[in-house]
Amino acid sequence: MISGDDKQPLEQEEAPTAQTDSPRQWNWVAGCVWTVRMLEALINGVKGGKWYSLMDKIWTRRTLWTAWEKVASNKGAAGVDRQSVEMFEQRAEQELEQIARELQENRYRPRPVRRTWIPKPGSPEKRPLGIPTVRDRVVQTGVKYALEPIFEKEFAEQSYGFRPGRSCKDALRRVSALLEQGNLWIVDADLKSYFDTIDHQKLMRRVEEKIADGRLLGLIRRYLEQGIMEDMNYWVPEQGTPQGAIVSPLLANVFLNPLDHMLARQGMEMVRYADDFVILCPSLEQAEKALKLVQEWTEEQGLTLHPEKTRIVDGNVKGGFDFLGYHFDVDGKRWPRKKSVQKFRETIRGRTRRTNGNSMECIIEQINPVLRGWYGYFKHSVKGTFKALDGWVRMRLRSILRKRSKRKGGGRGADHQRWPNAYFAEAGLYSMYEARRRDAHSAQAVNH
């Protein structure tokens, strides 16, 4: 049977933005697992520095139901057992009872991951994505609830990826601040196939530094050794964490955490988002030292720096570097990198084919979320970034209207008079250029 709830659950509220020393400031943690007493122990330090009893928090009714609700809200495809989220939902009570029994009796075994391949933005290449079964996603979510606060307390300040209360924008702001401070020599690093090359034994040793619950450690090992099913082929990976697994981003951060702290002790300013990181230095000498340290550390850990993509960039001259979708150039100026623009165009093309049979209002309704989201992320780009892209979007829409008017070719020339910019504005088309102009006026008003 699924056991009862723990006492003194911590209410879930907004996430903190940095390491904190008050239980109330850790309100992002899962209250189904973490009690106030446990959080106080986390903050003050547990005896021996290790946690011995966590699995009994994972198999409770409250934890499994909370985890299931999270999985259900994310939806997602079915795994190798072909059980969809909707199918699981129809018998959720029985499924969760069964999972709880298997966890309590140490009989739970992850099922193989269904591998599929998805396009890389702006590239003809594809990357692998593992799709766990729904039941495995539920259990992994529970495991993440238990582990995340323990390791979050240990993570370095310069790590931003897949952490509560942190985002890409926080990492980008830090990069901009460091450039403004004169750190214009940049180590632009690229870990080759990072998630697929993590050494299992080294990773588990890092997990074992904080976790001493044998059943939980065994479950994590089984997830690392989870079989992969692609078409009719089955194999068991000897290294790496499955991309698509809920616990993979956390484990990936655990593996790189020693690198973060090593560079911090050397006084080096790294900004890392998962396996994507840059080190910003005030001199070429420090950048060369930083690169050497990273090369030595990654080699010791069995990781590989991409020889063509890892380099030292002089921020004083044109050329720059890419980070988290942006291209940074001289004086910290930034704009969307080429692959980001390519991905944007591919997305818009898919929704604005000339043969699209929907009404113009419907098409605009479908692309507006893309435009708003893209502007929201790239709005700090240099002036002039959005005007040309807005014009390109309208050209795509004019081509649809031209096709419907029995005209060949794309929207151009006289089409600008037939369907002027105002026509699309009246139809509700979101303009990134106008949004940028409004934001600029608002900023000026605040400054004055």
Side-chain angles (χ1 to χ4, degrees):
M1 297 292 291
I2 299 179
S3 61
D5 301 340
D6 292 318
K7 295 180 180 180
Q8 289 185 290
L10 189 73
E11 294 178 0
Q12 298 184 54
E13 296 178 4
E14 62 186 49
T17 56
Q19 296 178 8
T20 55
D21 57 3
S22 165
R24 293 298 300 174
Q25 292 174 300
W26 283 81
N27 282 346
W28 56 267
V29 305
C32 55
V33 173
W34 287 85
T35 63
V36 172
R37 188 176 66 176
M38 288 174 66
L39 271 179
E40 289 173 345
L42 176 67
I43 294 166
N44 297 323
V46 293
K47 186 177 181 180
K50 294 189 178 184
W51 292 79
Y52 287 84
S53 181
L54 290 170
M55 276 298 294
D56 61 333
K57 314 295 189 302
I58 295 172
W59 68 52
T60 65
R61 176 185 182 88
R62 179 171 177 162
T63 298
L64 291 179
W65 270 103
T66 303
W68 153 241
E69 288 168 356
K70 178 67 173 177
V71 170
S73 68
N74 291 336
K75 299 182 180 179
V80 294
D81 60 358
R82 299 184 180 180
Q83 184 184 44
S84 65
V85 169
E86 292 75 19
M87 293 166 64
F88 190 100
E89 186 175 21
Q90 291 176 5
R91 43 177 290 109
E93 184 75 41
Q94 300 95 310
E95 291 281 3
L96 297 179
E97 288 279 358
Q98 179 64 27
I99 289 171
R101 281 194 295 271
E102 291 180 19
L103 289 173
Q104 289 174 11
E105 297 167 9
N106 204 24
R107 293 187 296 108
Y108 189 91
R109 296 295 180 271
R111 297 179 183 178
V113 170
R114 179 169 69 86
R115 171 167 283 189
T116 186
W117 293 82
I118 60 176
K120 281 188 175 181
S123 170
E125 298 178 3
K126 294 185 177 182
R127 67 179 181 88
L129 178 66
I131 303 176
T133 62
V134 176
R135 72 196 312 264
D136 280 330
R137 300 205 291 267
V138 170
V139 175
Q140 285 192 32
T141 301
V143 170
K144 180 174 178 284
Y145 286 160
L147 294 180
E148 190 168 38
I150 295 170
F151 290 102
E152 179 63 26
K153 189 173 186 294
E154 306 299 321
F155 287 157
E157 184 67 24
Q158 61 265 44
S159 167
Y160 292 87
F162 306 107
R163 293 183 59 187
R166 294 180 166 224
S167 67
C168 286
K169 291 185 177 181
D170 295 319
L172 292 166
R173 277 192 286 268
R174 182 58 181 161
V175 169
S176 293
L178 289 169
L179 290 171
E180 289 173 3
Q181 292 168 17
N183 295 282
L184 298 177
W185 289 93
I186 300 97
V187 178
D188 183 9
D190 184 276
L191 288 170
K192 189 175 182 180
S193 303
Y194 171 61
F195 282 86
D196 294 330
T197 57
I198 295 174
D199 184 286
H200 288 173
Q201 297 305 317
K202 289 183 172 66
L203 172 59
M204 287 306 303
R205 282 197 290 271
R206 274 161 212 171
V207 174
E208 289 165 4
E209 289 175 3
K210 294 296 173 184
I211 307 299
D213 186 323
R215 287 176 298 181
L216 179 52
L217 291 172
L219 181 59
I220 295 170
R221 287 193 190 94
R222 288 193 286 273
Y223 274 122
L224 292 176
E225 298 166 357
Q226 203 169 1
I228 296 175
M229 182 72 72
E230 183 177 356
D231 297 327
M232 297 302 292
N233 299 317
Y234 172 83
W235 73 95
V236 177
E238 296 181 356
Q239 58 184 9
T241 61
Q243 294 191 49
I246 290 167
V247 293
S248 284
L250 174 61
L251 294 176
N253 274 335
V254 170
F255 195 83
L256 287 178
N257 191 46
L259 174 63
D260 299 341
H261 286 288
M262 180 192 73
L263 292 173
R265 287 193 299 271
Q266 294 288 332
M268 295 176 178
E269 296 285 1
M270 178 172 74
V271 180
R272 182 173 69 80
Y273 194 96
D275 59 332
D276 194 359
F277 63 91
V278 289
I279 307 169
L280 297 99
C281 307
S283 67
L284 174 59
E285 291 72 23
Q286 190 184 73
E288 289 174 337
K289 180 182 178 181
L291 178 57
K292 184 179 179 181
L293 286 171
V294 172
Q295 287 171 331
E296 292 173 350
W297 189 89
T298 52
E299 186 175 348
E300 289 174 1
Q301 303 305 316
L303 302 175
T304 303
L305 287 172
H306 200 296
E308 297 175 2
K309 297 180 180 179
T310 300
R311 62 203 176 106
I312 292 177
V313 177
D314 181 357
N316 296 288
V317 300
K318 280 191 172 294
F321 62 97
D322 294 339
F323 186 61
L324 298 182
Y326 272 93
H327 178 79
F328 287 82
D329 214 324
V330 181
D331 298 328
K333 293 178 181 177
R334 54 172 157 153
W335 55 83
R337 68 172 185 163
K338 290 181 179 179
K339 286 187 177 181
S340 299
V341 175
Q342 289 172 356
K343 181 181 179 182
F344 169 79
R345 289 177 181 262
E346 288 170 6
T347 303
I348 295 298
R349 281 193 188 100
R351 304 184 188 195
T352 57
R353 302 192 187 282
R354 296 181 70 215
T355 54
N356 192 313
N358 294 321
S359 68
M360 184 53 58
E361 289 74 15
C362 182
I363 296 171
I364 288 174
E365 187 176 339
Q366 291 173 349
I367 66 175
N368 271 347
V370 178
L371 301 175
R372 288 193 182 95
W374 209 78
Y375 173 74
Y377 188 78
F378 290 106
K379 64 182 178 180
H380 297 294
S381 299
V382 295
K383 186 178 180 181
T385 298
F386 303 106
K387 191 171 185 178
L389 286 173
D390 274 351
W392 180 82
V393 171
R394 288 191 294 266
M395 181 275 292
R396 296 286 304 176
L397 298 178
R398 288 187 180 105
S399 296
I400 295 172
L401 295 170
R402 186 178 177 86
K403 171 79 171 175
R404 293 176 182 178
S405 300
K406 310 300 183 185
R407 294 180 173 88
K408 295 181 180 180
R412 60 187 185 275
D415 293 338
H416 287 263
Q417 283 73 50
R418 292 189 187 95
W419 304 291
N421 294 355
Y423 169 86
F424 298 105
E426 290 172 5
L429 180 65
Y430 183 81
S431 169
M432 296 184 289
Y433 172 76
E434 290 298 328
R436 172 59 182 269
R437 195 169 62 84
R438 288 193 299 270
D439 286 347
H441 285 317
S442 298
Q444 289 177 359
V446 170
N447 293 332
H448 284 86

